[in-house]
Amino acid sequence: MILRYHTFELKLKYPFKITRGVRTSNWVVLIEIEHDGTIGYGEASPSPRYGENIETVQNFLNKVDLSKFNDPFNLEEILNYVDSIEPGNTSAKAGIDIALHDLVGKLLNIPLYKFLGLNKEKTPITSFTIGIDEPAMIERKVREAEEYPILKVKLGLENDEEIIKTIRKITDKPIRVDANEGWKTKEVALEKIKWLQDEGVEFVEQPMPADDLDSVAWVRDKVDIPIIADENCIRLYDVPILGKAYDGINIKLMKCTGIREAIKMINTARAMKMKVMLGCMIESSVGITAGAQISPLVDFADLDGNLLITNDPFEGVKVKNGKLILPDEPGLGVKKLI
């Protein structure tokens, strides 16, 4: 097998602001794995929050030698080798995992969801994300998101109430809140979540810093809506300890090394009777479609990273009235546009 890659700058329609900063674009690494003339596509969308950037992804990929493997169907062996090269580098590993799954589906001439034994009709409705902004821009974004029945709203700064009140003047749609570790004390988190309960918020994601599990547990005992772990939940080994503080987990392929490990995390969370959400970074349709392929397994989806950009280099999963519509072509079913 031959591995190739190139970098690509995804340009956002609007500046995207969360508690850790604001960005107008996002660099990703698009990956190809070729075997006997068939090419599988993958994507790495690195996050500084998890110690990655474009350079670390490229450096990691340069260390990967897939020429020693002749059979792409040996996914366990290949991906165990990739994981063993260096710790971390989760988005780089996810890009390889995604490309291999695309390749295998193409070689079998079936969509990936069929290879995984899933029902494409069971895909969930994805939320549409509204980043932190001024009221006028919040209002504009919400009106433009009219076709999406669920909103995911970024909070965690000083204007939380202003953002929610602005949205509630326009719509009574369900809202899911993501604070991205923004509330630094348990008292503040408790006060915020109790207020959000009355505003029709469905659940709150990562209200407090990931290293403060005890405070999240304290808050959860005092509120009436679920709390979902995001920055606290990176890989499979994180899941067992999260039950004491969280009601569910947010799995992102870019955090967990890809589809193979994501499915293991879903099964582990189910055994613990936890809710499961599939999230994303700012990604092209390659990464988003990969996540959508396993979305029939989860309760909630936030797979909208490709909907926030203006220059998607691929076409893949569609969204109709919020519902994820999987392609029927082999593998991921993505088509190269650029």
Side-chain angles (χ1 to χ4, degrees):
M1 290 186 289
I2 303 167
L3 186 152
R4 296 186 292 267
Y5 67 85
H6 68 276
T7 60
F8 190 85
E9 185 180 18
L10 302 175
K11 296 179 180 178
L12 287 152
K13 182 175 182 181
Y14 295 114
F16 189 73
K17 185 177 182 180
I18 65 172
T19 56
R20 289 189 291 272
V22 61
R23 62 177 61 185
T24 57
S25 68
N26 188 52
W27 282 92
V28 298
V29 179
L30 298 172
I31 295 168
E32 296 181 1
I33 297 177
E34 183 174 350
H35 176 74
D36 287 346
T38 301
I39 297 173
Y41 295 115
E43 177 178 10
S45 179
S47 169
R49 172 63 179 78
Y50 306 105
E52 286 190 284
N53 55 44
I54 286 294
E55 288 73 28
T56 66
V57 172
Q58 293 178 95
N59 290 340
F60 182 84
L61 293 176
N62 289 338
K63 297 173 183 176
V64 178
D65 179 14
L66 296 183
S67 66
K68 64 178 77 174
F69 299 102
N70 296 316
D71 186 353
F73 291 93
N74 289 336
L75 289 171
E76 288 289 317
E77 183 180 352
I78 298 168
L79 292 173
N80 282 336
Y81 154 71
V82 172
D83 199 18
S84 72
I85 293 172
E86 275 184 3
N89 294 285
T90 58
S91 77
K93 294 171 182 178
I96 295 172
D97 169 285
I98 292 166
L100 282 171
H101 280 87
D102 186 34
L103 178 61
V104 164
K106 287 175 175 174
L107 292 172
L108 291 172
N109 199 33
I110 58 172
L112 184 56
Y113 69 83
K114 285 192 175 182
F115 174 71
L116 298 172
L118 303 178
N119 182 352
K120 67 175 293 188
E121 303 304 321
K122 301 291 187 180
T123 57
I125 291 174
T126 181
S127 53
F128 185 88
T129 304
I130 307 294
I132 296 170
D133 220 319
E134 298 301 317
M137 188 55 73
I138 293 286
E139 184 170 342
R140 178 175 175 177
K141 290 176 181 177
V142 171
R143 293 193 187 282
E144 289 183 4
E146 175 66 29
E147 65 183 287
Y148 303 102
I150 301 170
L151 299 177
K152 178 175 176 177
V153 181
K154 296 288 190 177
L155 298 182
L157 298 179
E158 65 284 341
N159 60 338
D160 290 346
E161 288 196 16
E162 181 181 54
I163 289 173
I164 297 298
K165 287 178 178 178
T166 299
I167 294 171
R168 279 292 175 243
K169 283 193 301 185
I170 304 167
T171 181
D172 61 356
K173 289 178 182 178
I175 291 175
R176 298 166 180 175
V177 160
D178 184 2
N180 286 116
E181 305 178 278
W183 302 326
K184 303 305 183 186
T185 71
K186 59 186 181 183
E187 292 80 12
V188 167
L190 179 62
E191 180 184 358
K192 297 272 191 180
I193 295 173
K194 280 189 170 294
W195 182 79
L196 290 169
Q197 289 175 175
D198 297 332
E199 296 296 323
V201 168
E202 189 175 359
F203 59 74
V204 173
E205 198 179 328
Q206 201 66 47
M208 300 190 64
D211 61 2
D212 198 355
L213 208 60
D214 290 339
S215 289
V216 177
W218 181 88
V219 172
R220 186 181 68 166
D221 288 342
K222 297 171 176 60
V223 299
D224 298 322
I225 57 175
I227 298 180
I228 308 295
D230 181 1
E231 284 86 347
N232 259 117
C233 184
I234 301 173
R235 297 199 59 173
L236 177 61
Y237 50 69
D238 293 310
V239 179
I241 65 172
L242 294 176
K244 74 170 189 176
Y246 291 93
D247 302 288
I249 59 172
N250 182 1
I251 299 169
K252 295 177 182 175
L253 299 189
M254 299 301 154
K255 288 190 302 181
C256 77
T257 74
I259 293 167
R260 172 174 165 267
E261 181 142 338
I263 292 172
K264 294 177 182 178
M265 293 174 73
I266 292 167
N267 292 335
T268 301
R270 292 296 185 212
M272 299 174 63
K273 302 191 184 314
M274 298 179 80
K275 295 291 187 181
V276 181
M277 176 179 181
L278 265 178
C280 64
M281 308 299 186
I282 303 299
E283 303 167 20
S284 79
S285 283
V286 175
I288 298 300
T289 304
Q293 294 283 345
I294 62 171
S295 69
L297 292 170
V298 306
D299 303 291
F300 314 116
D302 180 42
L303 295 173
D304 65 342
N306 60 332
L307 303 177
L308 306 176
I309 60 176
T310 61
N311 63 332
D312 196 338
F314 282 83
E315 180 180 88
V317 63
K318 303 295 185 187
V319 179
K320 185 175 182 180
N321 298 321
K323 184 174 174 62
L324 295 163
I325 309 296
L326 295 175
D328 281 319
E329 289 76 20
L332 295 179
V334 297
K335 185 193 307 181
K336 200 172 187 179
L337 300 177
I338 300 175

